[in-house]
Amino acid sequence: NAGVTQTPKFRILKIGQSMTLQCTQDMNHNYMYWYRQDPGMGLKLIYYSVGAGITDKGEVPNGYNVSRSTTEDFPLRLELAAPSQTSVYFCASSYTPAGRNTGELFFGEGSRLTVL
Amino acid sequence: TQLLEQSPQFLSIQEGENLTVYCNSSSVFSSLQWYRQEPGEGPVLLVTVVTGGEVKKLKRLTFQFGDARKDSSLHITAAQPGDTGLYLCAGATPGGYQKVTFGTGTKLQVIP
């Protein structure tokens, strides 16, 4: 079972470059999320989506953009990369049963990004 | 922005010892989850608690949700080296969107 798949796993960028982190899930989940995790820290929400065509900002959205054209895919775009964006990025998805707002987050293995 | 503070931040103990990790907030959550993350991997769900005062057990791990649904604890009995990892609590905000806020994390090392 694939679950949540992220690519690339590692990437080094120069300051000012742009790139897209890819995320796809095969569980037909409505909700998808992008988090970043800095050393020794928890996870900070960058953007999330509650379904195809609907996205919203999380805690730390500056410098990032997302789109959700399909249920399966939720790419994260970094424009004009900065050293402050050096981090490990995790994509996650979840299914919310009707009438409830609890559910397990399924995470990808992460994408380690370094901006030099 | 809801904040979830975890304590302690780091914990290094000998195999067989007991430990408790705390997760505290001033906000009320509709549910609270505990995840464990191993190096190079994404977090994996251990448990979800949804009712104030709820206690759940998972083998040697005991999870409790505070009566007011603002805090939680994780107690590990007779810790094993396999328990080593980063433990994260995560609270879900009441409302229509399942927006989850993660705690600061507790890094546990169990020494054989």
Side-chain angles (χ1 to χ4, degrees), chain B residues 73-93:
Chain B
S73 64
L74 158 61
H75 182 78
I76 301 179
T77 303
Q80 302 294 312
D83 297 326
T84 294
L86 179 67
Y87 289 81
L88 296 160
C89 63
T93 55

Side-chain angles (χ1 to χ4, degrees), chain B residues 1-111:
Chain B
T1 302
Q2 290 119 337
L3 294 174
L4 276 167
E5 298 286 340
Q6 286 186 238
S7 60
Q9 277 190 299
F10 302 97
L11 195 53
S12 182
I13 62 172
Q14 295 291 326
E15 181 176 357
E17 292 184 359
N18 301 333
L19 67 116
T20 302
V21 176
Y22 299 93
C23 174
N24 295 295
S25 176
S26 58
S27 302
V28 174
F29 294 101
S30 59
S31 66
L32 197 134
Q33 299 174 320
W34 285 91
Y35 290 80
R36 181 167 68 206
Q37 183 180 17
E38 299 189 16
E41 299 182 7
V44 175
L45 181 69
L46 295 173
V47 76
T48 300
V49 285
V50 297
T51 306
E54 183 177 1
V55 176
K56 279 192 174 180
K57 292 191 175 184
L58 185 66
K59 296 184 181 178
R60 294 176 291 99
L61 279 61
T62 301
F63 305 86
Q64 184 162 9
F65 202 11
D67 291 340
R69 292 185 297 151
K70 294 182 179 181
D71 55 84
S72 181
S73 64
L74 158 61
H75 182 78
I76 301 179
T77 303
Q80 302 294 312
D83 297 326
T84 294
L86 179 67
Y87 289 81
L88 296 160
C89 63
T93 55
Y97 292 148
Q98 190 188 11
K99 195 167 164 182
V100 174
T101 300
F102 278 83
T104 47
T106 294
K107 194 166 186 178
L108 172 65
Q109 180 185 32
V110 181
I111 302 166

Side-chain angles (χ1 to χ4, degrees), chain A residues 31 33 35 37 40-45 48 50 54 56-59 90 94-96 100-110 112, chain B residues 1-3 9 30-31 33 35 37 40-45 48 50 86 88 92-105:
Chain A
Y31 291 80
Y33 309 80
Y35 288 90
Q37 185 175 39
M41 303 291 288
L43 294 131
K44 299 290 186 185
L45 181 65
Y48 68 101
V50 302
I54 306 171
D56 205 351
K57 296 177 181 179
E59 301 171 72
F90 287 97
S94 68
Y95 171 71
T96 302
R100 297 186 63 185
N101 63 351
T102 59
E104 177 177 1
L105 286 172
F106 292 84
F107 285 86
E109 292 186 336
R112 184 177 294 274
Chain B
T1 302
Q2 290 119 337
L3 294 174
Q9 277 190 299
S30 59
S31 66
Q33 299 174 320
Y35 290 80
Q37 183 180 17
E41 299 182 7
V44 175
L45 181 69
T48 300
V50 297
L86 179 67
L88 296 160
T93 55
Y97 292 148
Q98 190 188 11
K99 195 167 164 182
V100 174
T101 300
F102 278 83
T104 47

